[in-house]
Amino acid sequence: MNAASGHLSGTSLQQQEFDRKRSIRTFYFGSNNGQDDDDDDQLTVYVSEGLHPDYGMYTWPCAAVLAQYVYYHRDIFNGKCVLELAAGTALPGTVAAKCGAKVTLTDSASYPQCLENCRRSLEANGLTGDCVDVLSLTWGNIEPNLLQLKDLNFLLASDCFYDPKDFEDVLMTISFVLERNVGCKCFCTYQVRSSNWQIDHLLKTWDLQCKHILLSSFDADRTDLAGSNLPGRHSIQMLEFTKQIRSS
């Protein structure tokens, strides 16, 4: 067996293992959290999850909070162009797509199974065609896929501030996208894991300003969201990033 065929065989085995452990998880957005199938105001969303060492294969608490924000403000997302960073299971982006947005889901090229998982989530919701896309995008890199993104209105980032070593790459990517798309806003949720982790100095470096959004303002200040046990007792915060207006 040559090296190429061995690589393909290994990739195939990894995909088979992922398929074996993959499951579909259901989230309900609306007043009844899945208790009433006849509720016209309820949105049912399916996401693909896998028992895989990549963190992106699981729906983390921040995703449910950000998805709730999108659903709560679904009227402003309808008809808009939305980009989700590090989508993983793609819950926020999928909610945006089902609320009428044109959505591009992204994840690192280093995690092809996460990109495939995004596609599976879209398929599970019957989302196909020109209104949805999946692209590889690695934080901190100016690459062709990043350069082709244009006319964006909103950027979604769920739990991207997970590891301090990635903070600047995340903010650099956010800053670059907002710079090229005038008026674009980034909505970000993150879990408070350490009081020592700060991004204030990086905001100045990348000409960003941010404001906190209260979870109570979009009915997310509760331990049970979307008919799930998320976010539970985790401490979740939400931010809105915009470009800093430079004085002339």
Side-chain angles (χ1 to χ4, degrees):
M1 178 184 295
N2 60 35
S5 61
H7 172 72
L8 290 174
S9 176
T11 301
S12 177
L13 289 174
Q14 289 177 353
Q15 187 62 51
Q16 290 176 16
E17 181 68 6
F18 166 66
D19 288 341
R20 185 177 71 82
K21 295 182 177 180
R22 186 175 69 93
S23 62
I24 298 295
R25 188 172 184 178
T26 307
F27 292 85
Y28 303 95
F29 296 89
S31 57
N32 293 312
N33 277 343
Q35 301 302 311
D36 183 0
D37 292 336
D38 295 325
D39 183 3
D40 292 335
D41 199 36
Q42 179 174 283
L43 181 69
T44 303
V45 179
Y46 308 99
V47 298
S48 173
E49 289 189 328
L51 297 176
H52 192 274
D54 291 338
Y55 293 140
M57 308 298 285
Y58 175 76
T59 305
W60 292 91
C62 286
V65 174
L66 186 55
Q68 170 67 13
Y69 182 86
V70 174
Y71 174 78
Y72 191 89
H73 294 286
R74 55 195 178 277
D75 289 346
I76 71 170
F77 284 89
N78 184 23
K80 298 298 192 296
C81 293
V82 176
L83 172 71
E84 183 176 1
L85 295 178
T89 63
L91 178 60
T94 302
V95 170
K98 296 194 77 168
C99 289
K102 182 177 181 180
V103 175
T104 300
L105 304 174
T106 68
D107 216 307
S108 172
S110 300
Y111 300 112
Q113 289 182 325
C114 286
L115 292 167
E116 178 60 24
N117 199 63
C118 289
R119 297 184 184 96
R120 301 278 180 105
S121 290
L122 293 175
E123 291 171 0
N125 291 277
L127 296 169
T128 59
D130 295 337
C131 287
V132 289
D133 197 6
V134 178
L135 296 174
S136 63
L137 184 63
T138 303
W139 301 331
N141 291 346
I142 305 299
E143 51 194 32
N145 281 347
L146 182 60
L147 293 172
Q148 79 176 47
L149 295 169
K150 59 182 180 178
D151 300 325
L152 295 173
N153 303 109
F154 300 113
L155 182 59
L156 302 176
S158 167
D159 216 5
C160 290
F161 295 110
Y162 180 86
D163 190 331
K165 70 178 178 58
D166 296 324
F167 286 4
E168 183 156 23
D169 286 342
V170 173
L171 289 172
M172 174 267 171
T173 300
I174 292 173
S175 178
F176 186 84
V177 171
L178 298 188
E179 180 75 31
R180 290 170 59 87
N181 296 271
V182 177
C184 184
K185 296 180 179 180
C186 175
F187 297 114
C188 167
T189 50
Y190 70 95
Q191 182 175 327
V192 179
R193 295 183 171 91
S194 172
S195 60
N196 295 323
W197 294 357
Q198 302 291 332
I199 63 170
D200 293 356
H201 63 294
L202 295 174
L203 294 177
K204 184 176 181 180
T205 298
W206 294 105
D207 291 325
L208 291 170
Q209 57 188 4
C210 76
K211 67 176 182 180
H212 284 268
I213 299 176
L214 295 176
L215 271 59
S216 58
S217 69
F218 56 100
D219 197 24
D221 56 336
R222 48 197 171 96
T223 57
D224 185 351
L225 279 179
S228 72
N229 59 353
L230 301 177
R233 297 185 178 277
H234 297 286
S235 178
I236 309 298
Q237 301 291 324
M238 182 162 179
L239 300 174
E240 176 188 308
F241 290 105
T242 54
K243 284 297 287 185
Q244 181 73 46
I245 300 175
R246 300 177 183 177
S247 58
S248 56

